[in-house]
Amino acid sequence: MGHREDLLRGAKECLVEKGFVRTTARDIVKASGANLASIGYHYGSKDALLTQAFIELISDWGDAFTGGLTGEGGSLERFRAVWEGVHAGHEESGPIWSASLEVALTRDGLPELRRLLAASQDEGRRGLVSMFTGVPEDRLEEGDLRTLGTFYQALLNGFMIQWLFDAGSAGTPAELTEGMRRAAELMAKGAGAGASGKAVDGTPGEGSVHASVAEPTA
């Protein structure tokens, strides 16, 4: 491997062991066997390197279980299968989520890192929508990422915070799936979007995913 790949590998190791806040450029150099100058040459900054390492760790995490997902895209079976995959790997992925929470909780600190991570959110949403719906990432539109992507991302972040806070009381895949079923059932009974065929703001629902996702069933 060249210095670029070595640096990325070292940054991943540091993120898992120390998180964003405590990782220094010298830590990455020590873990990678590269040199300080190569960080700027290949990635521009330590923060840019850590952001790329974080994106790849999340991608590796998703790839670890998405290949064997069952159920039609958008179905409750698929919904539960995704959460079972998340739950099965939550101990290994815990340090990754802890690292991202570190940055979120710094408020006005680490502005460059916060900006870079915020810019990468669409990539994460794209992967999540594809995972839950079965629609290839290259067929997703901006509206899919802003609606379904935001929704799935909120669920994932909430689940991981529950687990990090207290694994024993965190929701299970079965409970999350039943909660999703009940929430959909309650909304379908209401006089809102489900009955009118319109989005929450009153506009017709559009986007590449809408015609592809199966309605949740019990």
Side-chain angles (χ1 to χ4, degrees), residues 113-193:
L113 192 50
R114 290 171 65 88
R115 181 185 66 77
L116 290 168
L117 287 174
S120 72
Q121 284 201 97
D122 272 359
E123 187 171 346
R125 289 169 179 162
R126 187 176 299 277
L128 284 172
V129 175
S130 181
M131 192 186 305
F132 278 98
T133 66
V135 177
E137 292 188 26
D138 60 4
R139 286 180 50 198
L140 298 174
E141 300 176 358
E142 178 65 18
D144 302 325
L145 307 186
R146 298 299 304 170
T147 55
L148 286 173
T150 298
F151 172 69
Y152 290 133
Q153 189 176 56
L155 287 179
L156 178 60
N157 289 340
F159 174 82
M160 295 309 300
I161 289 173
Q162 285 185 37
W163 180 82
L164 290 170
F165 182 73
D166 179 20
S169 64
T172 66
E175 290 167 341
L176 283 170
T177 305
E178 176 61 8
M180 183 74 257
R181 186 195 67 79
R182 293 181 65 179
E185 186 178 74
L186 287 169
M187 285 186 283
K189 288 179 179 178

Side-chain angles (χ1 to χ4, degrees), residues 17-217:
E17 293 175 6
K18 293 189 170 188
F20 281 107
V21 176
R22 293 192 297 124
T23 294
T24 67
R26 293 189 182 279
D27 290 330
I28 298 172
V29 167
K30 182 178 179 180
S32 66
N35 56 68
L36 284 172
S38 63
I39 293 178
Y41 178 79
H42 290 290
Y43 292 95
S45 69
K46 181 200 73 171
D47 287 349
L49 170 55
L50 286 174
T51 300
Q52 185 59 40
F54 177 74
I55 291 171
E56 294 210 7
L57 282 171
I58 294 296
S59 179
D60 293 344
W61 164 80
D63 292 343
F65 65 86
T66 52
L69 289 176
T70 59
E72 183 179 357
S75 67
L76 278 182
E77 183 183 355
R78 170 63 71 91
F79 187 86
R80 178 165 178 168
V82 171
W83 289 113
E84 286 175 342
V86 171
H87 188 266
H90 65 251
E91 290 197 26
E92 293 80 7
S93 61
I96 305 173
W97 302 109
S98 294
S100 65
L101 283 174
E102 275 187 312
V103 179
L105 293 173
T106 58
R107 305 288 291 179
D108 297 328
L110 305 172
E112 173 70 4
L113 192 50
R114 290 171 65 88
R115 181 185 66 77
L116 290 168
L117 287 174
S120 72
Q121 284 201 97
D122 272 359
E123 187 171 346
R125 289 169 179 162
R126 187 176 299 277
L128 284 172
V129 175
S130 181
M131 192 186 305
F132 278 98
T133 66
V135 177
E137 292 188 26
D138 60 4
R139 286 180 50 198
L140 298 174
E141 300 176 358
E142 178 65 18
D144 302 325
L145 307 186
R146 298 299 304 170
T147 55
L148 286 173
T150 298
F151 172 69
Y152 290 133
Q153 189 176 56
L155 287 179
L156 178 60
N157 289 340
F159 174 82
M160 295 309 300
I161 289 173
Q162 285 185 37
W163 180 82
L164 290 170
F165 182 73
D166 179 20
S169 64
T172 66
E175 290 167 341
L176 283 170
T177 305
E178 176 61 8
M180 183 74 257
R181 186 195 67 79
R182 293 181 65 179
E185 186 178 74
L186 287 169
M187 285 186 283
K189 288 179 179 178
S196 65
K198 295 183 178 180
V200 174
D201 62 0
T203 59
E206 297 178 354
S208 61
V209 170
H210 294 82
S212 306
V213 178
E215 290 294 329
T217 56

